[in-house]
Amino acid sequence: MTARATKTTKAPPRPLGHQEHGMLIGQLALVLVPQARTLPVSISLLLLLLLGWRWLLWRQRAPLPSKLMIGVTAMLVLVIAAALVWQAGGSLGRELCVALLAAFVILKLMETRALADATLVTQLSFYLLLTLYLAEQPFWLALYSMAIGAWILRNWLLFHHPEARERLAIWPLLGRMALFGLPWALCLFVLFPRLDHPLWRLPQSEPTGRMGIGDTMKPGSIGHLIRSPDVAFRADIVGDPLPASALYWRALVMWEYDGQVWRLDTNPPLREAPSLVDEGDEGAAPLAPDVREYNVTLEPTHKPWLYLLDRGVAISENLGARSSADDEFFARTPVERTLRYRAQSTLGGAPQPLTRRTLRLSLALPEGNPRSRALAADWAREYADPWQRVQAAMRLFASSPFAYTLSPPLLGDQQVDSFIFDTRRGFCEHYASSFVFLMRAGGVPARVVTGYQGGEYNPVGKHYVIRQSDAHAWAEVWLQDRGWVRVDPTSAVAPSRVEDGVDAALAGEEIGALRDLRAPGWLRDIRWGIDGLTYRWQRWVLDYDRGQQQRLLELAGLGNQLPSVLAVGMAVLSLLALLPMWLRRRRVEPVQALYERFCATLARHGCTRGVSEGPIDFGTRAATALPRAATAVRAFTDGYVDWRYGLANGDADQAARSAARLRAALRELAAALR
């Protein structure tokens, strides 16, 4: 009895070679290395231990662990994860999710023996590569991930086509693929409709301990920030750079004082912050001479207050920010990621009225500090003009032995008296607090303002870098016909603090870390270059939103034609994508293209043509290796040799007939191989 159909048997999975196992371990290690910057140290050590175990097995050519051993290890990983979740109060954070994925990819690598397993590990490596962007997205990470992504693609190609190592120039091929996709990526990035806010909000981890301006001020609260070189925010100002003495970045206004700590107004009236008018709008009016426009890129603070130059006038509308009568600006939610906003501020401004409520707040004082009260009373009797009392306090601080230092002596219970009459050594918060106390005791309305002062100007990126070390506290007094006037008592005792920065005002051993950071010479130039690149990456890539997209179109004279421009761009790119195929068809003769298909078909069945192997030798070897298709292989080879060495220079009709015979032989070959 003759069988109607031949039963096909499934080919056994191709086992991986020793070198291919090493490629998998290497690519996974390269993907996991940058994760160490965001994962906790304990989790990073666990992943290092698992990956090191797999590497030792590969290095010693030892057999892979049994399924029981892998299962026990997986349960141990889950127990450790559960313990970390319990320690975090039941929160399964982003870092732990990424760590679990990485751990189980390594465990999958422990049982990888065949090509299908290698394919799965390679695909999961791409997912792990994408998780690098969940925390932050610096420019170096984009370069690193593209390089590692290209390496993974190269490995993937070699896993499935080992013959490609001899037959293809793999890196030039990947380079051509990248160049082919680059115009599409640029077109979609620039023209695809943008949103004002992320499409979804990623789950955030618990806020890490970040230094920054707080909502209270006491001796030492500003001083401890000075020791940190971390960047607080960056700002680029439209127009000419401003002198350092004009760079007062306002954060919060402190009204209430209990003798120890300054605090915010407990119930400040807030309103919707004035919104900026875009430059392209018809209603946009020229800026007043004393108004400056600028952009701020604020690092995550986990706090809602924003930093504006001097007295803010307006801020980006998409923030939905609120502002107070004291020129404080607040975001709707705490700043959990890098935030960029545009703002306008006035460096002068009209006098502000003093309401009954603010008068009461600006003169309130706690009990105590009798010597300071007596000094302020003497000034009030001697000077009828409040501004003269301000000048008297500034002369006091400018006189010896008052000194500016990061290591002031401890103050007594009567802090103001202890500072003014005993220790006379302190930081900006000591001087601002004592000055405001003296003014209030002398009948002059006054308040404390905290924020940042100064900043380094980056000539490469043409922007200011404001660090935590630029944290500062100053005072404001209310004067008739002038409103709230800024007075910086620190400038009396250390003028260089305002003009040249904090590192110019302190002794060498107190600010050594910042002196090293701001060292001159070629290291400084390199640092400015990296900082400028980081800032521009943040501005033009990470913060490229709908507003910037619209301004770019207006600059190109395209206005509100985004859909049309996107459609035309995609159409042009589609036509350009067909151009290489059309050129290749014109360059390759039809019969030669059929021979390339013939070689590719045989390669898929394990018979790869050598680089220098002629068609007759290759056909003979293929017929021997694939006996079920031997007749079709010989027929195609004979027809190709006749054309190649006999009819290649013949007329077009002969070439067409040869191509037809070869196509028929190619169909017979495909049927025989099936």
Side-chain angles (χ1 to χ4, degrees), residues 206-409:
E206 290 297 321
T208 56
R210 288 181 179 266
M211 305 176 71
I213 296 295
D215 56 1
T216 61
M217 190 194 78
K218 60 182 179 180
S221 61
I222 301 293
H224 82 285
L225 292 178
I226 303 302
R227 305 178 188 275
S228 171
D230 294 339
V231 174
F233 57 93
R234 297 177 174 87
D236 60 276
I237 298 177
V238 178
D240 298 330
L242 291 172
S245 58
L247 297 176
Y248 280 84
W249 306 93
R250 177 186 296 257
L252 299 171
V253 175
M254 306 287 179
W255 292 94
E256 300 179 358
Y257 184 53
D258 61 5
Q260 304 289 326
V261 180
W262 285 91
R263 292 183 172 85
L264 304 175
D265 183 4
T266 54
N267 189 25
L270 297 178
R271 63 181 186 275
E272 293 293 327
S275 300
L276 283 175
V277 178
D278 289 334
E279 299 92 337
D281 292 353
E282 296 181 358
L287 296 179
D290 62 340
V291 174
R292 298 299 297 268
E293 186 170 314
Y294 51 94
N295 298 283
V296 173
T297 302
L298 178 62
E299 296 296 320
T301 62
H302 306 299
K303 302 179 179 81
W305 43 88
L306 307 173
Y307 300 97
L308 274 76
L309 184 63
D310 203 4
R311 297 185 180 277
V313 175
I315 197 168
S316 301
E317 182 179 7
N318 62 329
L319 289 181
R322 297 173 296 168
S323 63
S324 70
D326 305 326
D327 299 307
E328 302 163 306
F329 283 73
F330 301 91
R332 291 288 181 181
T333 58
V335 180
E336 305 289 354
R337 60 184 182 90
T338 303
L339 178 66
R340 182 175 174 83
Y341 53 89
R342 193 161 56 98
Q344 292 175 352
S345 292
T346 176
L347 303 184
Q352 296 172 302
L354 187 66
T355 65
R356 184 174 301 177
R357 182 173 184 274
T358 53
L359 177 62
R360 175 180 56 82
L361 288 172
S362 60
L363 292 176
L365 283 176
E367 297 294 331
N369 299 291
R371 289 184 289 176
S372 299
R373 289 176 180 272
L375 177 61
D378 291 342
W379 289 343
R381 286 190 296 269
E382 184 177 357
Y383 305 113
D385 185 0
W387 184 247
Q388 291 180 320
R389 301 171 212 169
V390 172
Q391 295 303 310
M394 297 293 280
R395 287 194 298 271
L396 172 67
F397 292 140
S399 63
S400 180
F402 281 97
Y404 185 73
T405 176
L406 268 180
S407 305

Side-chain angles (χ1 to χ4, degrees), residues 193-197 318 543-552 562:
R194 316 289 293 194
L195 300 175
D196 287 333
H197 303 285
N318 62 329
D543 293 330
Y544 182 73
D545 56 8
R546 184 163 55 185
Q548 286 184 301
Q549 186 182 61
Q550 184 62 32
R551 288 192 289 272
L552 183 63
L562 177 60

Side-chain angles (χ1 to χ4, degrees), residues 330-617:
F330 301 91
R332 291 288 181 181
T333 58
V335 180
E336 305 289 354
R337 60 184 182 90
T338 303
L339 178 66
R340 182 175 174 83
Y341 53 89
R342 193 161 56 98
Q344 292 175 352
S345 292
T346 176
L347 303 184
Q352 296 172 302
L354 187 66
T355 65
R356 184 174 301 177
R357 182 173 184 274
T358 53
L359 177 62
R360 175 180 56 82
L361 288 172
S362 60
L363 292 176
L365 283 176
E367 297 294 331
N369 299 291
R371 289 184 289 176
S372 299
R373 289 176 180 272
L375 177 61
D378 291 342
W379 289 343
R381 286 190 296 269
E382 184 177 357
Y383 305 113
D385 185 0
W387 184 247
Q388 291 180 320
R389 301 171 212 169
V390 172
Q391 295 303 310
M394 297 293 280
R395 287 194 298 271
L396 172 67
F397 292 140
S399 63
S400 180
F402 281 97
Y404 185 73
T405 176
L406 268 180
S407 305
L410 294 177
L411 301 177
D413 293 337
Q414 307 293 323
Q415 286 191 354
V416 179
D417 280 358
S418 179
F419 173 70
I420 294 178
F421 296 99
D422 299 329
T423 65
R424 298 180 180 179
R425 295 171 61 82
F427 203 62
C428 60
E429 63 263 39
H430 295 80
Y431 290 97
S433 175
S434 302
F435 175 84
V436 172
F437 187 97
L438 290 171
M439 291 299 99
R440 290 185 177 186
V444 180
R447 61 192 186 183
V448 173
V449 183
T450 60
Y452 295 88
Q453 194 280 321
E456 295 180 282
Y457 183 71
N458 184 340
V460 177
K462 300 188 183 305
H463 63 272
Y464 291 91
V465 180
I466 295 87
R467 304 181 184 277
Q468 299 295 351
S469 57
D470 296 312
H472 195 50
W474 60 94
E476 288 181 344
V477 298
W478 192 87
L479 302 174
Q480 188 68 36
D481 299 328
R482 294 180 64 184
W484 289 105
V485 177
R486 181 179 66 237
V487 179
D488 192 347
T490 305
S491 65
V493 65
S496 57
R497 164 64 183 91
V498 176
E499 296 295 335
D500 301 317
V502 65
D503 52 343
L506 294 172
E509 66 275 4
E510 290 190 321
I511 204 67
L514 288 182
R515 290 185 188 276
D516 294 339
L517 177 69
R518 302 177 181 182
W522 62 274
L523 287 177
R524 183 185 181 93
D525 295 336
I526 292 176
R527 183 167 59 85
W528 282 140
I530 294 175
D531 184 82
L533 184 59
T534 300
Y535 183 68
R536 294 193 178 277
W537 172 263
Q538 181 72 39
R539 179 177 180 182
W540 296 110
V541 178
L542 302 184
D543 293 330
Y544 182 73
D545 56 8
R546 184 163 55 185
Q548 286 184 301
Q549 186 182 61
Q550 184 62 32
R551 288 192 289 272
L552 183 63
L553 290 175
E554 291 172 355
L555 186 64
L558 299 175
N560 296 320
Q561 304 177 25
L562 177 60
S564 302
V565 174
L566 179 60
V568 171
M570 297 296 289
V572 170
L573 288 175
S574 299
L575 292 175
L576 291 177
L578 298 175
L579 183 60
M581 299 174 60
W582 180 74
L583 292 176
R584 187 174 182 274
R585 287 179 62 89
R586 288 174 56 89
R587 185 171 61 250
V588 179
E589 295 172 304
V591 178
Q592 184 63 32
L594 289 172
Y595 185 70
E596 292 179 2
R597 287 175 56 190
F598 169 76
C599 294
T601 301
L602 294 179
R604 287 197 296 270
H605 290 78
C607 189
T608 304
R609 176 175 174 262
V611 177
S612 59
E613 191 173 16
I616 296 177
D617 293 338

